[in-house]
């Protein structure tokens, strides 16, 4: 057990180091110069511009050799300092991210987990049920192939503008101040619903289809036929098949978590939902090195943590992993 | 991982393209030799004709004229591909750029490109990312690009100072992006800067000389006036400014700094519509103005001295901090605001009297000390304060008494100084004097103390909204009889245009300063209102200018640049790209409010 996790941790740490290095390097290879973006529209004279340029380069620590910038980046990182945003100057990147993260968690965690649960249950239920297979399966294919943005706009238009049931922008009513009141919480949920549904539906389709195919495969396996031959009830056979079929889905969940942020990005833009996705788009468009780094660093950490949790979950749900570990250490 | 693949892909594509390019070059060289002979023959023929072209100074879309200028200057199609070659026979391959995602400009450059192509000028539209575009603009590594950074101004100098910014340095960050070198025109702009703003005849004379040179040399091409995008829904607030006879006249916008240019007057003129219910929210609907489109990003600071970021917390200048004067672009008049009066007592002395009884929101009195302190920040911190260059010709500021200041100049640039009078925002000395350089030039300025009509509502601010609360003790209520109507202003940032459009249609937002393509149709049907009931619907805000990089061939040739000016179909930009939301610009580039100075 210890060996298993020891190995995993080494892998995670080196992945972290590599990913963070790439995260630091990529924005710096983008064409363009963030200080110039900041200086845009300052009515300075040509003679004084260089002066201001140097001034801001110094403030952002961009006036030193690149290797020094890299070392400073790691030092600052361990102090929890991700630098100052260029776009949102003079705000700190950590402050911006900390403000955005709650909205992401609030939106993404329920969407991923609920769609995983409901999609798998439904896929397993639908498999080999003729009328469900014929009606819901094509719907699932459609849902999973739908671009988030398109579905989002469609929902905003139909339920928001035409029917007028749900608000189409913001995280809570524009007439409210954040407070612990029922009015505020209701408004929060109301604004959360459409972005949540647009994410949930797309994920749901994917999980349901995956599970449906997996279950059919498992039902054809020898052990299923054997159980059936023994006269086990249909629900028992399915229960065994489900436990086997869920394993690849869990791996899929780990992979999905990485892609999820991209999905949330367009959803957040469509619904003006103030999460990290919105900031990534803004930061990239404005070459805000520090904000890009910060947002992706956050994603890297989240993906690694999610994968680590999945590794643990795997041990719990798949007895073979546990056996393997025992065998390995013996 | 994906990124690495993309990089590899890009690199391999570059390699492939450069190989192909080599081959093409070799082929082109062969053709060139043949072409040269032909050109020589044609030149001989042209010399025989030798009738000088009569080119009008004020250019307009005229493909025949463009063709004539091109032919006259030796730009002819030698290889029969429908595109002209340079007089030396070399191929012309130019690009016109704007940032990706600026949809109106993207359509405009596609019109520019296609109309230039029709006249045989090989000009291809490209849309790099904003960052890359911005860097190319300032480095001078672009071919041709759009820019509209000259702000609304009381003087023609502001525009010509941007167009002919000098000297040419490595980093041209605030104008003359095409690096056009012409000492004669530089001298004229300097002369204009040093002309008194009430010397209309003198200004007209210099402007005429600048315009004549500009329109003969055509280093950049003024194309159209970008609109002051604003549309409103009058279901909660009425009495909006418009071109209607009985309507108030002011700028219906909240853009960065525009409160000072009449936006504040709009707030004062608004009247609540009767019968609107307060609703259940924290802010009563019938007392709150909801607006969008002014803030580009979430709130970042409340510091009136920070460059570039003012667009995020619009209101910092105008609602919170105020300037000595206000400039009204509709009447082209400057009116004293924090100042009671201001005048030049002689050529190098300017005396300002501050209004008596103005209070900061913490109860302290705003007086001449605060004004002196604010202006002197430019002297103390030349690196971080944008108006520091004023101190090149400003010698000192004397306090005459508590409310009177005397500015002593050496060789005043009257026009720049008059711009500064309504663009420098006065901060309280008792708060700012103890701050460090970093706090002043790069600080957030939390819990601000201002003098303006509204106070920052720190409890209401969210990542997608700024909230302002009315300052009931505002000095102008008594002094000017001016009172702003909304008790709250909620300034919303939408991340997409469809949301902005939906919100203004639903009446959730009262005033939208977003650029909404196709809004003309909605105005015609009465869903929303705009300043003019018909085209161009919007007031003009600034001039969109096509900058040409004059350091590269063939754009270092005035005849070629001039031909391009006649080749661009401005009508299509107005009708097609903007669906009639803008007006074509005067060839002088000056906004309609400054048309007195069109003198070419």
């Amino acid at each position: 057990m210890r060996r298993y996790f020891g190995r995993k941790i080494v892998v995670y740490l080196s992945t972290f180091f590599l990913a963070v290095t790439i995260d630091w390097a990529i924005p710096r290879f983008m064409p363009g110069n963030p200080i110039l973006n900041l200086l845009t529209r300052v009515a300075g004279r040509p003679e004084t511009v260089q002066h201001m340029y140097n001034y801001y380069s110094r403030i952002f620590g961009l006036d030193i050799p690149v290797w020094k910038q890299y070392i400073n980046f790691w030092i600052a990182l361990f102090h929890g300092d991700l630098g100052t945003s260029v776009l949102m100057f003079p705000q700190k990147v950590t402050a911006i991210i900390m403000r955005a993260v709650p909205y992401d968690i609030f939106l993404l965690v329920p969407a991923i987990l609920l769609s995983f649960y409901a999609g798998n249950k439904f896929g397993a239920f639908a498999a080999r049920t003729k009328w469900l297979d014929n009606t819901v399966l094509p719907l699932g294919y459609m849902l999973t192939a739908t671009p988030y943005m398109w579905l989002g706009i469609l929902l905003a238009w139909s339920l928001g503008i035409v029917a007028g049931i749900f608000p189409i922008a913001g995280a809570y009513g524009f007439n409210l101040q954040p407070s612990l009141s029922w009015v505020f919480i209701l408004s929060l949920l109301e604004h959360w619903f459409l972005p949540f549904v647009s994410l949930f539906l797309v994920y749901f389709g994917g999980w349901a289809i995956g599970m449906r195919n997996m279950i059919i495969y498992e039902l054809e396996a020898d052990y299923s036929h054997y159980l059936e031959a023994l006269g086990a009830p249909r629900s028992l056979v399915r229960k065994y098949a489900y436990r086997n079929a869920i394993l690849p889905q869990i791996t899929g969940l780990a992979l999905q978590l990485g892609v999820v942020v991209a999905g949330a990005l367009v959803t957040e833009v469509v619904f003006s939902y103030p999460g990290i996705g919105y900031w990534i788009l803004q930061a990239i468009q404005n070459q805000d090195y520090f904000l890009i780094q910060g947002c992706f660093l956050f994603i890297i950490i989240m993906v690694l943590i999610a994968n680590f949790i999945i590794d643990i979950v795997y041990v719990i749900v798949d007895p073979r992993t546990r056996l393997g570990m025992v065998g390995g250490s013996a | 991982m994906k990124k690495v693949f993309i990089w590899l892909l890009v690199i391999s594509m570059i390699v492939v393209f450069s190989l192909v390019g080599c081959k093409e070059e070799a082929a082109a060289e062969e053709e060139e030799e043949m072409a040269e002979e032909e050109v020589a023959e044609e030149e001989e023929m042209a010399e025989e004709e030798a009738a000088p072209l009569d080119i009008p100074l004020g250019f307009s879309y005229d493909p025949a004229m463009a063709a004539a200028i091109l032919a006259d200057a030796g730009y002819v199609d030698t290889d029969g591909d429908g595109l002209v070659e340079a007089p030396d026979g070399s191929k012309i391959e130019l690009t016109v750029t704007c940032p990706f995602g600026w949809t109106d400009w993207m359509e405009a450059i596609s019109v520019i490109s296609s109309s230039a192509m029709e006249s045989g000028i090989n000009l291809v539209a490209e849309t790099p990312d904003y960052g890359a575009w911005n860097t190319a603009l300032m480095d001078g590594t672009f071919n041709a690009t759009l820019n509209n950074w000259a702000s609304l101004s009381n003087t023609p100098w502001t525009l010509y100072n941007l167009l002919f910014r000098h000297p040419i340095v490595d980093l041209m960050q605030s104008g003359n992006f095409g690096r056009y070198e012409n000492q004669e025109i530089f001298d004229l702009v300097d002369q204009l800067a040093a002309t008194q703003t009430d010397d209309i005849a003198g200004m007209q004379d210099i402007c005429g000389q600048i315009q004549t040179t500009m329109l003969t040399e055509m280093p950049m091409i003024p194309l159209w006036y970008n609109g002051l995008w604003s549309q409103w829904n009058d279901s909660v607030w009425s009495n909006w400014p418009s071109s209607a006879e009985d309507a108030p006249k002011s700028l219906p916008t909240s853009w960065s700094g525009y409160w000072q240019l009449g936006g504040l007057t709009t707030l004062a003129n608004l009247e609540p519509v009767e019968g609107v219910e307060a609703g259940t929210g924290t802010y009563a609907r019938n007392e709150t103005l909801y607006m969008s489109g002014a803030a580009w990003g979430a709130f970042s600071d409340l510091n009136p001295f920070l460059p570039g970021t003012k667009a995020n917390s619009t209101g910092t200048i105008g609602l919170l901090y105020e300037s000595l004067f206000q400039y009204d672009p509709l009447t082209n008049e400057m009116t004293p605001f924090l100042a009671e009066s201001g005048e030049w007592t002689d050529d190098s002395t300017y005396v300002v009297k501050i209004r008596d009884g103005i209070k900061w929101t913490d109860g302290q009195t705003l007086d001449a000390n605060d004004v002196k302190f604010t202006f002197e920040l430019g002297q103390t911190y030349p690196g971080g304060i944008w108006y520091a260059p004023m101190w090149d010709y400003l010698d000192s500021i004397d306090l005459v008494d508590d409310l009177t200041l005397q500015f002593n100049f050496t060789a005043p640039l009257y026009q720049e100084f008059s711009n500064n009078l309504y663009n420098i925002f006065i901060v309280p000395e008792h708060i700012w004097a103890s701050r460090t350089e970093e706090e002043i030039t790069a600080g957030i300025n939390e819990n601000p103390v201002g003098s303006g009509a509204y106070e920052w509502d720190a409890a209401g601010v969210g990542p997608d909204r700024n909230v302002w609360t009315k300052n009931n003790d505002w000095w102008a209520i008594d002094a000017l009889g001016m009172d702003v109507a909304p008790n709250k202003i909620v300034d919303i940032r939408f991340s997409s245009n469809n949301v902005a459009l939906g919100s203004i249609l639903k009446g959730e937002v009262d005033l939208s300063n977003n650029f909404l393509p196709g809004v003309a149709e909605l105005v015609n049907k009465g869903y929303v209102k705009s300043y003019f009931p018909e085209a161009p619907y919007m007031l003009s805000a600034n001039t969109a200018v096509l900058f040409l990089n004059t350091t590269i061939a063939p754009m270092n040739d005035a005849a070629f640049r001039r031909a391009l000016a006649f080749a661009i179909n401005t009508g299509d930009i107005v009708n097609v790209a903007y669906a009639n939301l803008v007006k074509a610009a005067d060839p002088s580039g000056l906004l309609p409010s400054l048309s007195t100075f069109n003198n070419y």
Side-chain angles (χ1 to χ4, degrees):
Chain A
M1 192 75 127
R2 185 178 294 166
R3 213 177 185 191
Y4 173 79
F5 282 110
R7 218 169 39 222
K8 285 278 175 197
I9 283 168
V10 171
V11 170
Y12 279 120
L13 281 180
S14 45
T15 313
F16 179 73
F17 174 77
L18 266 178
V20 169
T21 303
I22 293 172
D23 177 34
W24 174 86
I26 292 262
R28 284 171 169 75
F29 288 126
M30 281 166 73
N33 181 330
I35 305 285
L36 289 185
N37 292 351
L38 184 71
L39 285 182
T40 298
R41 295 189 189 213
V42 185
R45 298 238 190 92
E47 309 91 294
T48 54
V49 165
Q50 197 59 45
H51 199 89
M52 289 192 92
Y53 184 86
N54 297 342
Y55 183 82
Y56 283 105
S57 294
R58 203 180 65 236
I59 287 186
F60 287 105
L62 291 174
D63 58 340
I64 50 176
V66 173
W67 63 270
K68 260 191 195 164
Q69 290 182 34
Y70 181 66
I71 292 172
N72 286 351
F73 168 70
W74 275 106
I75 294 172
L77 188 62
F78 284 114
H79 287 95
D81 179 10
L82 295 174
T84 307
S85 165
V86 179
L87 170 69
M88 293 285 290
F89 184 74
Q91 301 242 335
K92 288 280 178 200
V93 169
T94 36
I96 297 170
I97 293 180
M98 288 326 274
R99 276 202 303 264
V101 163
Y103 294 109
D104 278 295
I105 292 176
F106 184 46
L107 181 62
L108 290 175
V109 171
I112 295 169
L113 294 184
L114 283 177
S115 67
F116 182 78
Y117 179 78
N120 281 317
K121 282 284 172 208
F122 189 78
F125 179 68
R128 289 285 171 84
T129 314
K130 204 165 188 189
W131 67 274
L132 273 177
D133 242 8
N134 285 342
T135 52
V136 179
L137 190 69
L139 191 72
Y141 274 119
M142 249 173 65
L143 282 179
T144 190
T146 309
Y148 302 100
M149 186 167 70
W150 185 79
L151 188 68
I153 290 179
L154 207 67
L155 284 172
W157 178 75
S158 58
L159 293 177
I161 295 178
V162 175
I165 306 171
F166 289 102
I168 52 172
Y172 51 89
F174 288 113
N175 58 350
L176 292 176
Q177 276 181 12
S179 60
L180 258 181
S181 66
W182 283 115
V183 178
F184 179 73
I185 292 167
L186 266 177
S187 175
L188 212 56
L189 288 173
E190 218 175 41
H191 283 78
W192 166 85
F193 186 76
L194 282 188
F196 164 76
V197 166
S198 74
L199 287 173
F200 177 83
L201 284 179
V202 175
Y203 297 152
F204 176 84
W207 294 128
I209 287 165
M211 182 45 114
R212 178 247 173 207
N213 297 343
M214 218 68 78
I215 274 278
I216 287 176
Y217 176 80
E218 293 296 338
L219 287 180
E220 290 301 322
D222 286 345
Y223 72 89
S224 301
H225 286 307
Y226 180 65
L227 261 179
E228 270 171 28
L230 286 179
R234 183 184 145 94
S235 62
L236 186 70
V237 180
R238 293 223 159 201
K239 201 174 152 192
Y240 277 97
Y242 185 80
R243 284 200 68 176
N244 280 296
I246 197 80
L247 293 176
Q249 293 289 83
I250 289 178
T251 316
L253 180 64
L255 293 174
Q256 179 89 324
L257 284 169
V259 191
V260 132
V261 179
L265 192 147
V266 278
T267 310
E268 283 170 8
V269 170
V270 166
F271 291 100
S272 284
Y273 207 77
I276 273 207
Y278 169 77
W279 287 114
I280 292 179
L281 185 70
Q282 288 290 304
I284 291 178
Q285 281 175 344
N286 289 282
Q287 287 210 304
D288 190 341
Y289 290 175
F290 307 95
L291 193 51
I292 299 176
Q293 269 165 215
C295 289
F296 280 103
L297 185 77
F298 174 75
I299 293 170
I300 291 167
I301 292 174
M302 290 320 262
V303 169
L304 290 182
I305 290 178
N307 273 278
F308 188 68
I309 292 174
I310 298 271
D311 275 340
I312 296 172
V313 170
Y314 232 92
V315 173
I316 296 165
V317 296
D318 187 357
R320 283 171 299 185
T321 333
R322 259 172 294 175
L323 275 179
M325 283 186 302
V326 174
S329 56
Chain B
M1 205 49 197
K2 242 183 195 168
K3 279 190 177 157
V4 177
F5 276 123
I6 291 169
W7 278 108
L8 284 176
L9 204 69
V10 169
I11 292 167
S12 55
M13 273 166 70
I14 291 171
V15 172
V16 170
F17 278 122
S18 53
L19 285 176
V20 173
C22 285
K23 274 188 198 161
E24 271 180 14
E25 255 171 52
E29 267 170 40
E30 276 171 37
E31 274 175 36
E32 222 170 86
E33 281 170 30
M34 285 161 66
E36 265 170 33
E37 286 166 29
E38 279 175 42
V39 170
E41 276 170 38
E42 275 177 37
E43 268 173 14
E44 274 168 37
M45 283 167 67
E47 270 169 34
E48 277 168 37
E49 287 170 27
L53 260 180
D54 183 24
I55 313 172
L57 268 186
F59 65 89
S60 57
Y61 176 52
D62 185 351
M65 180 57 77
I69 302 172
L70 283 175
D72 189 50
Y75 294 87
V76 280
D77 178 15
T78 48
D79 57 4
D81 60 356
L83 300 167
V84 297
E85 275 73 51
D88 64 0
S90 59
K91 273 192 176 296
I92 294 174
E93 282 170 339
L94 298 170
T95 57
V96 54
T97 54
C98 80
F100 181 81
W102 296 18
T103 47
D104 48 337
W105 281 20
M106 284 163 74
E107 288 198 36
I109 63 169
S110 92
V111 171
I112 292 170
S113 162
S114 60
S115 56
M117 287 284 197
E118 275 168 33
S119 285
I121 297 170
N122 189 0
L123 185 66
V124 181
E126 275 180 10
T127 52
D129 280 338
Y130 175 76
W133 171 80
N134 195 42
T135 305
L137 179 78
M138 296 176 182
D139 282 351
T141 48
F142 66 94
N143 292 169
T145 193
L146 286 172
N147 187 281
N148 67 334
W149 291 352
S151 47
L152 273 171
S153 166
N154 62 328
T155 66
W157 169 81
T158 312
L159 175 72
Y160 293 130
N161 178 47
L162 175 105
L163 299 186
F164 303 106
R165 198 45 81 86
H166 56 277
I168 309 286
V169 292
D170 288 346
L171 197 63
M172 291 305 287
Q173 155 270 4
S174 53
N176 198 356
F177 305 106
R179 292 153 190 265
Y180 174 65
E181 283 259 28
N182 184 339
Q183 197 52 47
E184 184 197 349
I185 213 162
F186 291 170
D187 290 343
L188 284 168
V189 173
D190 289 345
Q191 209 182 321
L192 182 62
T195 306
Q196 265 290 10
T197 50
D198 56 3
D199 179 9
I200 305 293
M203 285 159 76
Q204 279 169 336
D205 178 46
I206 301 171
C207 284
Q209 294 179 55
I210 293 176
Q211 287 157 4
T212 308
T213 315
M214 171 178 158
L215 292 170
T216 337
E217 284 275 303
M218 221 66 236
M220 65 285 293
I221 310 171
L223 290 176
W224 74 90
Y225 300 127
N226 256 347
L228 189 72
W229 317 126
S230 59
Q231 42 272 321
W232 52 86
N233 186 321
D234 54 8
S235 54
V236 178
W237 294 99
S238 65
N239 204 30
W240 292 90
S242 82
S243 61
E245 232 169 78
D246 52 344
K249 304 281 179 285
S250 60
L251 294 194
T253 186
S254 53
W255 287 353
S256 171
Y258 279 54
W259 291 120
Q260 211 60 16
L261 306 177
L264 207 55
T265 320
T266 305
L267 291 181
N269 287 330
L270 286 183
E271 289 167 7
V273 170
E274 277 179 40
V276 176
E277 300 199 0
T280 52
T282 320
Y283 314 131
R285 181 65 185 100
N286 52 0
E287 292 174 1
T288 308
L289 177 77
Y290 291 93
M291 59 181 212
S292 74
W296 291 1
F299 150 74
S300 56
D301 66 271
L302 295 161
N303 186 335
F305 303 120
L306 285 190
T309 54
K310 281 291 74 58
N312 293 354
S313 38
T314 56
T316 305
I317 50 182
L319 294 187
L320 177 63
Y321 296 110
E322 299 172 301
S323 52
L324 293 174
F325 281 75
Q326 273 199 317
Y327 167 62
D328 180 358
L330 291 172
T331 55
N332 202 28
E333 272 171 19
M334 269 173 79
T335 45
F337 198 60
L338 286 182
E340 191 176 85
S341 65
E343 59 174 347
W344 290 92
T345 50
D346 63 55
D347 279 352
S348 56
T349 317
Y350 187 80
V351 176
V352 183
K353 226 174 143 42
I354 309 298
R355 261 177 226 283
D356 197 2
I358 299 179
K359 294 261 191 262
W360 296 105
T361 47
D362 65 355
Q364 301 247 23
T365 308
L366 185 155
D367 61 20
N369 286 298
D370 297 305
V371 179
K372 182 174 173 350
F373 170 77
T374 305
F375 274 82
E376 282 179 349
L377 284 177
Q379 187 185 28
T380 323
Y381 306 116
I385 299 284
W386 66 268
Y387 50 85
M390 187 174 68
W391 283 90
D392 292 351
Y393 56 87
L394 177 57
D395 186 52
S396 62
I397 301 175
D398 294 336
L399 284 181
V400 179
D401 59 49
D402 272 358
L403 294 171
T404 316
L405 297 121
Q406 181 174 316
F407 290 76
N408 303 309
F409 292 94
T410 47
L413 299 181
Y414 300 102
Q415 309 243 329
E416 182 178 77
F417 181 68
S418 79
N419 284 179
N420 286 353
L421 281 175
Y422 62 89
N423 280 324
I424 293 176
F425 293 82
I426 309 302
V427 296
E429 184 189 16
H430 65 275
I431 307 257
W432 288 73
S434 59
R435 295 190 176 176
T436 63
E437 171 171 13
E438 176 123 0
E439 281 170 338
I440 290 172
T441 60
I444 296 179
N445 186 27
E446 278 161 303
N447 309 320
V449 171
S451 60
Y454 286 87
E455 291 180 73
W456 177 246
D457 186 336
V461 61
D464 54 358
R465 73 202 72 184
N466 299 332
V467 183
W468 297 90
T469 307
K470 185 175 166 181
N471 171 9
N472 286 314
D473 302 323
W474 188 36
W475 60 271
I477 300 174
D478 288 335
L480 299 176
M482 184 177 181
D483 196 3
V484 286
N487 275 335
K488 289 273 179 186
I489 295 179
V490 181
D491 188 4
I492 301 166
R493 169 193 51 80
F494 292 125
S495 55
S496 66
N497 267 348
N498 61 329
V499 179
L501 184 63
S503 302
I504 187 97
L505 287 176
K506 285 173 85 173
E508 287 172 353
V509 161
D510 301 308
L511 169 66
S512 153
N513 291 130
N514 305 76
F515 168 65
L516 302 175
V519 79
E521 196 59 29
L522 298 173
V523 174
N524 290 341
K525 287 186 176 156
Y527 291 126
V528 294
K529 303 279 184 342
S530 63
Y531 194 86
F532 298 107
E534 70 283 309
Y537 299 95
M538 310 289 163
L539 289 163
S540 299
N542 51 52
T543 315
V545 178
L546 184 68
F547 277 88
L548 307 175
N549 191 338
T550 60
T551 62
I552 56 166
M555 280 183 308
N556 50 7
D557 178 3
F560 180 84
R561 300 193 295 256
R562 222 170 162 188
L564 186 58
F566 282 93
I568 294 171
N569 191 341
T570 319
D572 266 3
I573 296 177
V574 172
N575 301 324
V576 182
Y578 278 98
N580 286 316
L581 288 180
V582 299
K583 260 169 40 174
D586 189 277
S588 72
L590 292 175
L591 283 172
S593 56
L594 295 171
S595 55
T596 343
F597 301 106
N598 291 340
N599 185 24
Y600 50 90

